Amino acid sequence: MKNWRLRPNLPDEHDLATVFSCLIAQLLYNRKIEKATEADIFFNPSFDKLHDPFLFNDMRKSCERIWTAILKKEKILIHGDYDADGVTSSAILAKTLKIFGADFSVFIPHRELDGYGLNLRNIENFIFSGTKLVITVDCGITNVDEVQKLKEHGVETVITDHHEPPEILPEALAIIDPKVVGENYPCKFLSGAGVAYKLAVALLRSAPAEMYEMSFVEYGGMVGFEKWLLDIVAIGTVADMVPLLEENRILTKWGLLVLSKTRNLGLQKLLEKVSVSKFDTFTIGFQLAPRLNAAGRMKHAEAAYRLLITEDIDEATAL
């Protein structure tokens, strides 16, 4: 015999009841949407409703350090992860650093040989290679010992992550994770790709004056470049199964629109294999993301990352 557990009824005088029909108001309330402003984003996820990335406590500090590294041609290493959220996060930041001419490399760990996050063996290689700045995406928040070792060897770390933080945080130069205690950023459940995107946008908006002379014409300007990243952001967001509310809803809605006309050669080729007739969360969740995840499970996620960043049509086809 089934035991039905019903959500509580919407209070009679609730704000939602004054704006929507009883049914719609109750359904919103069931989804923990309790303010008319939240309901507005749910139904009208406008791009201009995204939060300022500099609301993150350490965002400005992160951008200043990264820009110093870019301008001084210091070696930067992006440390990603082997799932769809991790490879999309890596691609977002890589595309942003590339357009500004940064000296950077990307490390995608092997699921079996390296495991999740940073490890001490790989860190020795990063130090030996002359890396001066490590930026983590979709990982790093639990790597206390690893970040400490980097610090002891003069390598600074900017952590971007979205996972639950430990009681003792790594002694990184900066931490961008909406779940850190005391973090002021309003949206607490961004994906790794969402956090990486906020850093990318902040870097674009804090670019030194001489960098604004660079050509963004093919993207329709710098804001256009931000928007053309959204197909990858949406894939990471849906793949990681974060709630499609607040900013995630905006990023996914506009990301699906960008995906439908994507300029990303790898995604174009992947979509040809999938034969998509419409672009929605099912397309990402059951057709694109599993294929990107498969690379890391069958061999190495490097293939999925390269697919997302390649600018060569033959390489895209082969991958």
Side-chain angles (χ1 to χ4, degrees), residues 45 47 226-239 244 247-263 267 271 276-289:
F47 185 76
E226 292 178 18
K227 291 181 178 179
W228 282 110
L229 290 173
L230 287 172
D231 48 5
I232 307 178
V233 180
I235 291 171
T237 300
V238 175
L244 294 186
E247 273 199 307
N248 290 337
R249 197 167 186 83
I250 300 171
L251 294 170
T252 302
K253 184 267 179 79
W254 291 95
L256 285 167
L257 180 64
V258 174
L259 184 63
S260 70
K261 56 183 75 174
T262 186
R263 295 182 178 182
L267 289 179
L271 287 166
V276 175
S277 58
K278 65 176 181 177
F279 294 85
D280 55 18
T281 52
F282 180 90
T283 307
I284 294 174
F286 291 91
Q287 295 180 302
L288 300 182

Side-chain angles (χ1 to χ4, degrees), residues 66 69-70 73-74 76 96-105:
I66 294 168
I70 292 173
K73 295 295 181 182
E74 294 178 340
I76 302 171
T96 305
L97 292 185
K98 182 178 180 180
I99 204 165
F100 286 121
D103 181 3
F104 76 96
S105 59

Side-chain angles (χ1 to χ4, degrees), residues 177-240:
D177 184 333
K179 292 178 181 171
V180 167
V181 175
E183 176 56 67
N184 290 320
Y185 197 76
C187 185
K188 300 300 183 184
F189 42 84
L190 289 170
S191 65
V195 177
Y197 179 69
K198 302 309 288 194
L199 175 58
V201 171
L203 285 169
L204 289 160
R205 296 183 184 179
S206 63
E210 60 266 33
M211 289 295 177
Y212 281 101
E213 298 174 5
M214 302 186 68
S215 176
F216 286 90
V217 174
E218 64 177 300
Y219 301 103
M222 195 173 282
V223 174
F225 179 78
E226 292 178 18
K227 291 181 178 179
W228 282 110
L229 290 173
L230 287 172
D231 48 5
I232 307 178
V233 180
I235 291 171
T237 300
V238 175
D240 219 53

Side-chain angles (χ1 to χ4, degrees), residues 115-161:
Y116 173 73
L118 288 72
N119 70 49
L120 293 172
R121 173 173 50 83
N122 289 327
I123 280 174
E124 290 177 1
N125 295 330
F126 303 156
I127 294 167
F128 181 76
S129 69
T131 299
K132 294 300 180 186
L133 177 65
V134 172
I135 308 172
T136 72
V137 291
D138 194 33
C139 65
I141 197 65
T142 61
N143 292 119
V144 175
D145 294 341
E146 293 79 4
V147 170
Q148 182 61 35
K149 183 166 184 176
L150 286 168
K151 186 176 180 180
E152 289 170 0
H153 286 81
V155 181
E156 293 183 304
T157 308
V158 171
I159 293 172
T160 79
D161 203 345

